[in-house]
Tab-separated table of all heavy atoms in Angstrom:
chain	number	residue	atom	x	y	z
A	286	LEU	N	-16.421	-8.506	-20.269
A	286	LEU	CA	-16.612	-8.931	-21.673
A	286	LEU	C	-16.900	-10.443	-21.676
A	286	LEU	O	-16.484	-11.197	-20.792
A	286	LEU	CB	-15.184	-8.708	-22.401
A	286	LEU	CG	-14.897	-7.232	-22.725
A	286	LEU	CD1	-13.545	-7.101	-23.385
A	286	LEU	CD2	-15.976	-6.480	-23.329
A	287	GLN	N	-17.688	-10.916	-22.649
A	287	GLN	CA	-18.004	-12.381	-22.663
A	287	GLN	C	-17.934	-12.866	-24.243
A	287	GLN	O	-18.632	-12.273	-25.003
A	287	GLN	CB	-19.357	-12.675	-22.071
A	287	GLN	CG	-19.637	-12.279	-20.666
A	287	GLN	CD	-20.985	-12.483	-20.158
A	287	GLN	OE1	-21.551	-13.524	-20.412
A	287	GLN	NE2	-21.618	-11.485	-19.566
A	288	ASP	N	-16.950	-13.664	-24.480
A	288	ASP	CA	-16.834	-14.375	-25.806
A	288	ASP	C	-16.891	-13.472	-26.973
A	288	ASP	O	-17.573	-13.450	-27.828
A	288	ASP	CB	-18.000	-15.413	-25.955
A	288	ASP	CG	-17.932	-16.524	-24.934
A	288	ASP	OD1	-16.850	-16.911	-24.513
A	288	ASP	OD2	-19.009	-16.927	-24.383
A	289	VAL	N	-16.018	-12.459	-26.954
A	289	VAL	CA	-15.947	-11.356	-27.924
A	289	VAL	C	-14.806	-11.902	-28.995
A	289	VAL	O	-13.729	-12.308	-28.729
A	289	VAL	CB	-15.425	-10.050	-27.408
A	289	VAL	CG1	-15.206	-9.118	-28.592
A	289	VAL	CG2	-16.372	-9.422	-26.419
A	290	SER	N	-15.277	-12.016	-30.223
A	290	SER	CA	-14.548	-12.431	-31.385
A	290	SER	C	-14.775	-11.571	-32.545
A	290	SER	O	-15.885	-11.238	-33.022
A	290	SER	CB	-14.905	-13.865	-31.640
A	290	SER	OG	-14.587	-14.881	-30.619
A	291	PHE	N	-13.629	-11.044	-33.188
A	291	PHE	CA	-13.695	-10.270	-34.355
A	291	PHE	C	-12.119	-10.237	-34.849
A	291	PHE	O	-11.261	-10.495	-34.106
A	291	PHE	CB	-14.259	-9.006	-34.170
A	291	PHE	CG	-13.377	-8.081	-33.256
A	291	PHE	CD1	-12.378	-7.280	-33.794
A	291	PHE	CD2	-13.554	-7.903	-31.859
A	291	PHE	CE1	-11.560	-6.489	-32.943
A	291	PHE	CE2	-12.868	-7.141	-31.014
A	291	PHE	CZ	-11.782	-6.445	-31.568
A	292	VAL	N	-12.083	-9.905	-36.128
A	292	VAL	CA	-10.785	-9.703	-36.770
A	292	VAL	C	-10.705	-8.267	-37.379
A	292	VAL	O	-11.614	-7.915	-38.139
A	292	VAL	CB	-10.609	-10.826	-37.789
A	292	VAL	CG1	-9.213	-10.436	-38.519
A	292	VAL	CG2	-10.530	-12.173	-37.341
A	293	ALA	N	-9.657	-7.524	-37.045
A	293	ALA	CA	-9.515	-6.200	-37.726
A	293	ALA	C	-8.289	-6.402	-38.564
A	293	ALA	O	-7.217	-6.671	-38.252
A	293	ALA	CB	-9.159	-5.146	-36.571
A	294	GLU	N	-8.500	-6.249	-39.900
A	294	GLU	CA	-7.435	-6.390	-40.936
A	294	GLU	C	-6.588	-5.108	-40.899
A	294	GLU	O	-6.888	-4.036	-40.581
A	294	GLU	CB	-8.174	-6.575	-42.302
A	294	GLU	CG	-9.015	-7.911	-42.443
A	294	GLU	CD	-8.169	-9.185	-42.269
A	294	GLU	OE1	-6.939	-9.178	-42.388
A	294	GLU	OE2	-8.793	-10.252	-42.098
A	295	PRO	N	-5.475	-5.432	-41.425
A	295	PRO	CA	-4.366	-4.198	-41.560
A	295	PRO	C	-4.932	-3.076	-42.193
A	295	PRO	O	-5.520	-3.196	-43.361
A	295	PRO	CB	-3.182	-4.886	-42.211
A	295	PRO	CG	-3.317	-6.401	-41.876
A	295	PRO	CD	-4.745	-6.578	-41.833
A	296	GLY	N	-4.883	-1.899	-41.665
A	296	GLY	CA	-5.290	-0.699	-42.409
A	296	GLY	C	-6.737	-0.412	-42.219
A	296	GLY	O	-7.266	0.711	-42.616
A	297	GLN	N	-7.462	-1.263	-41.578
A	297	GLN	CA	-8.937	-0.920	-41.385
A	297	GLN	C	-9.238	-0.079	-40.220
A	297	GLN	O	-8.422	0.096	-39.249
A	297	GLN	CB	-9.706	-2.234	-41.069
A	297	GLN	CG	-10.151	-3.122	-42.081
A	297	GLN	CD	-11.154	-4.154	-41.819
A	297	GLN	OE1	-11.029	-4.730	-40.627
A	297	GLN	NE2	-11.940	-4.630	-42.702
A	298	VAL	N	-10.246	0.801	-40.350
A	298	VAL	CA	-10.652	1.594	-39.124
A	298	VAL	C	-11.833	0.834	-38.525
A	298	VAL	O	-12.847	0.642	-39.288
A	298	VAL	CB	-11.148	2.999	-39.757
A	298	VAL	CG1	-11.661	3.755	-38.575
A	298	VAL	CG2	-9.977	3.678	-40.428
A	299	VAL	N	-11.634	0.500	-37.479
A	299	VAL	CA	-12.670	-0.254	-36.585
A	299	VAL	C	-13.321	0.692	-35.558
A	299	VAL	O	-12.615	1.203	-34.641
A	299	VAL	CB	-11.963	-1.414	-35.954
A	299	VAL	CG1	-13.092	-2.246	-35.150
A	299	VAL	CG2	-11.328	-2.324	-36.918
A	300	ALA	N	-14.490	0.851	-35.522
A	300	ALA	CA	-15.249	1.597	-34.684
A	300	ALA	C	-15.977	0.798	-33.563
A	300	ALA	O	-16.601	-0.306	-33.999
A	300	ALA	CB	-16.259	2.576	-35.336
Side-chain angles (χ1 to χ4, degrees):
L286 298 177
Q287 300 178 49
D288 299 322
V289 174
S290 296
F291 67 87
V292 176
E294 297 295 345
Q297 276 192 333
V298 176
V299 180

